Amino acid sequence: MIGLYDSGVGGLSVWKEVYRLMPEQDYVYVADTAYCPYGDKPVGIIRDRAVRVSEFLMGKGADIIVVACNTATAAAIACLRSRFEVPFVGMEPAVKPAAAMSSAGVIGVLATANTFKGELYHNTLARVGDGVRVVEVVGEGLVEAVENGQDATALLEKYVDRMLSEGVDVIVLGCTHFPFLEDTIRKIAGPGVAVVNPAPAVARQVARIASAMKGGHPSAGESVFYATGPAVRLERMAAAIVGSKYNNIVERLNI
Ligand code: DGL
């Protein structure tokens, strides 16, 4: 069983990729919507939520936990790994592959404030060659827009234009909510700019760990979704990804 969580629906962009590779697995997904957004919350709260949600996922039988949130990965993955034995897979800011793709030597990263503050991000930056310039833009308001199903075009124009004016030719989606805005981002950025979503690479990593673990309990190919707060959006988006069999299946979770 694979457990995944995010502050809200963003992690569905990761679940979708993992599910595509392994539809036969069982999944349990937690949207911590009572605490969403994580992007500008104190790190201590995000860490606390990470521990609580992980304990819940393990209680449900998760053999692997995917921290399907860049912000939570930045704030809490080291703490989770030191505390629990189950393997944790987090979101890597895809700065390195983006740098390799860039001909201009200028890449843009769109993420939350807390992701940019994280040690993980700074270590990743240190591995990018000197010849590449990274333009960091905090996507303020975008997580809320995805959670509420609002149009984010005006905000994205502001953020993407800022990157374009700096000459970026690759944009990294540094938050798992942003793949749901990818079409608009591509439209604004134009055909000369590549957009990198790290979710497929993360999904391949989950599949590698899962296949090395073969021999666990037999799976039935079921996905169960929980929300600690508002659930309407989660229900709608999960259903849109895998079809109507997932209507009305979001359970309320009090942790
Ligand atoms: N999906 C989360 C991420 O990847 C969003 C964080 C938030 O809730 O602000 O960073």
Side-chain angles (χ1 to χ4, degrees):
M1 176 179 286
I2 298 171
L4 303 97
Y5 92 95
D6 177 49
S7 60
V9 295
L12 292 179
S13 68
V14 182
W15 169 68
K16 182 176 132 187
E17 299 297 336
V18 184
Y19 179 81
R20 202 203 307 268
L21 293 182
M22 298 181 291
E24 74 290 351
Q25 294 286 354
D26 291 331
Y27 296 92
V28 52
Y29 183 98
V30 173
D32 194 16
T33 50
Y35 288 81
C36 186
Y38 281 172
D40 50 8
K41 289 234 168 24
V43 167
I45 293 180
I46 303 171
R47 229 171 254 163
D48 208 52
R49 298 307 297 161
V51 169
R52 273 179 195 236
V53 173
S54 297
E55 281 170 343
F56 171 78
L57 291 171
M58 285 183 277
K60 286 282 157 195
D63 302 297
I64 302 173
I65 294 179
V66 185
V67 182
C69 173
N70 295 70
T71 310
T73 302
I77 200 147
C79 154
L80 293 172
R81 284 183 176 141
S82 70
R83 202 160 170 150
F84 303 114
E85 278 184 4
V86 72
F88 285 90
V89 180
M91 299 306 298
E92 274 278 330
V95 171
K96 220 172 156 216
M101 284 166 75
S102 173
S103 333
V106 190
I107 65 167
V109 181
L110 190 60
T112 68
N114 273 335
T115 295
F116 287 127
K117 281 185 213 150
E119 202 181 314
L120 180 71
Y121 177 72
H122 290 281
N123 291 345
T124 313
L125 273 193
R127 283 188 268 127
V128 174
D130 283 342
V132 177
R133 194 155 61 83
V134 182
V135 179
E136 297 169 0
V137 176
V138 175
E140 215 171 301
L142 295 177
V143 168
E144 291 89 333
V146 172
E147 288 294 323
N148 300 325
Q150 291 155 345
D151 182 18
T153 310
L155 283 175
L156 287 171
E157 271 166 358
K158 194 166 80 177
Y159 302 145
V160 173
D161 284 349
R162 199 180 303 159
M163 291 185 182
L164 295 179
S165 69
E166 296 274 348
V168 312
D169 62 353
V170 183
I171 296 176
V172 177
L173 303 179
C175 167
T176 56
H177 279 73
F178 300 168
F180 295 115
L181 305 170
E182 191 171 338
D183 290 348
T184 315
I185 293 172
R186 282 184 189 278
K187 220 171 278 165
I188 299 166
V193 177
V195 177
V196 180
N197 173 10
V202 171
R204 288 193 294 276
Q205 171 68 358
V206 177
R208 273 192 292 272
I209 296 175
S211 69
M213 287 176 94
K214 279 277 184 275
H217 19 348
S219 51
E222 281 181 353
S223 295
V224 187
F225 301 89
Y226 293 88
T228 59
V232 179
R233 204 62 200 143
L234 176 67
E235 195 141 271
R236 209 166 289 162
M237 289 176 72
I241 295 169
V242 283
S244 56
K245 78 175 182 164
Y246 286 108
N247 267 334
N248 301 316
I249 51 83
V250 176
E251 292 185 32
R252 186 56 209 247
L253 175 63
N254 275 314
I255 55 168

